[in-house]
Amino acid sequence: MKLYDLEASGNCYKVRLFASLANIELDIEPVDFLGGAHKQPPLADLNPLGQLPILEDGSHVVRDSQAILVYLAGVYGGLAWWPAHPRGQAEIVQWLSFAANEVQHSLCAARLVQKFGYPLDQSVALASSPAVLALLDKHLERHDWLAIGRPSIADCAVYPYVALAPEGGVDLGPYSHIARWMTRLEALPGYLPKP
Amino acid sequence: MKLYDLEASGNCYKVRLFASLANIELDIEPVDFLGGAHKQPPLADLNPLGQLPILEDGSHVVRDSQAILVYLAGVYGGLAWWPAHPRGQAEIVQWLSFAANEVQHSLCAARLVQKFGYPLDQSVALASSPAVLALLDKHLERHDWLAIGRPSIADCAVYPYVALAPEGGVDLGPYSHIARWMTRLEALPGYLPKP
């Protein structure tokens, strides 16, 4: 099973992190991102959005880091990480949307500008980051994990860009519950350190 | 089962549309959005993001339109709209992420500015819309539905802001495959017309 990967990408790290926690073996294929390989065939045929990561499992292709987490957890991870009951699935999907929308357009965007020079509005990204982190911190004040009362793919989807936020100029100092959640996650068997 | 709703919101319409297609009865509770009721308790306690829609099923609360679709389909909609197999679920989640990220920050954002005066960058939203629509159109050239070869919650998540795109100044004229997909969806039993 092949993961088209960029080491520095938080979205790719979501998948590598989960695979490591769930003991799923991936054949990591580094992509020439600076050379734009992800924007050209054959990769652009696998993912027309021109984004990484992409998972190739035999002839089956999955794009989008959140969808890859669902696929890997559902097919290979067992019920621990993605339960069969729709109530738990919906609880997790709330956080997958949070990762794809709120986190992507705040913490991730700030890092893309600061670390990689992306032409995004750094001030907008930085202005929206505290509300995202405050919401997360408040949730984690009363919960050890984001969903279903245990580690799940929700944590794997949200942790990477939170852990990498300081690279975008975002200060994690004020968020003690987030800090304790990160420590819990980093203590799980199979934890893969952030890039 | 109560849906805290705003008639004009495409995210709320995703849920009302799916419930109507799947014949799920909802008690619609209009929210005083202009008065900011969604930003204050008790609604802000149900959804700390301060967003609509919110679903309340007895004591169980689900926020985020994509997660509500998973919940309603999984608990009440049967396997037709959200299959039990993780390969199909992941195929659908690809489009739920696309709805939460790409569609939200292009078609939806353009409409928020033009129709409701939101303080977002209209030029950025309009500039990213053609790529989003072109990708969708290309996918629909070879597929009748977004995922799993039949109507699913993926279509319900993406259709609303595509159908409402002209209200944001986006021209759907060039996208003939999208037009035919919309016609197919609008012909389904139980289709609920857009707001």
Side-chain angles (χ1 to χ4, degrees), chain A residues 21 81 145 151-152 155-156 183-192:
Chain A
L21 288 168
W81 301 92
W145 305 100
S152 76
D155 302 285
C156 296
T183 302
R184 278 191 294 277
L185 196 144
E186 289 157 11
L188 289 175
Y191 170 75
L192 180 77

Side-chain angles (χ1 to χ4, degrees), chain B residues 91-131:
Chain B
E91 207 183 320
I92 288 173
V93 169
Q94 292 180 149
W95 295 103
L96 300 187
S97 289
F98 185 75
N101 182 0
E102 281 82 4
V103 173
Q104 183 76 25
H105 291 272
S106 59
L107 310 179
C108 169
R111 178 172 176 264
L112 286 175
V113 177
Q114 181 142 327
K115 195 173 160 82
F116 303 102
Y118 270 53
L120 300 168
D121 191 329
Q122 169 88 333
S123 62
V124 170
L126 286 175
S128 43
S129 294

Side-chain angles (χ1 to χ4, degrees), chain A residues 72-87:
Chain A
L72 285 178
V75 178
Y76 300 102
L79 294 176
W81 301 92
W82 174 246
H85 54 92
R87 182 184 279 218

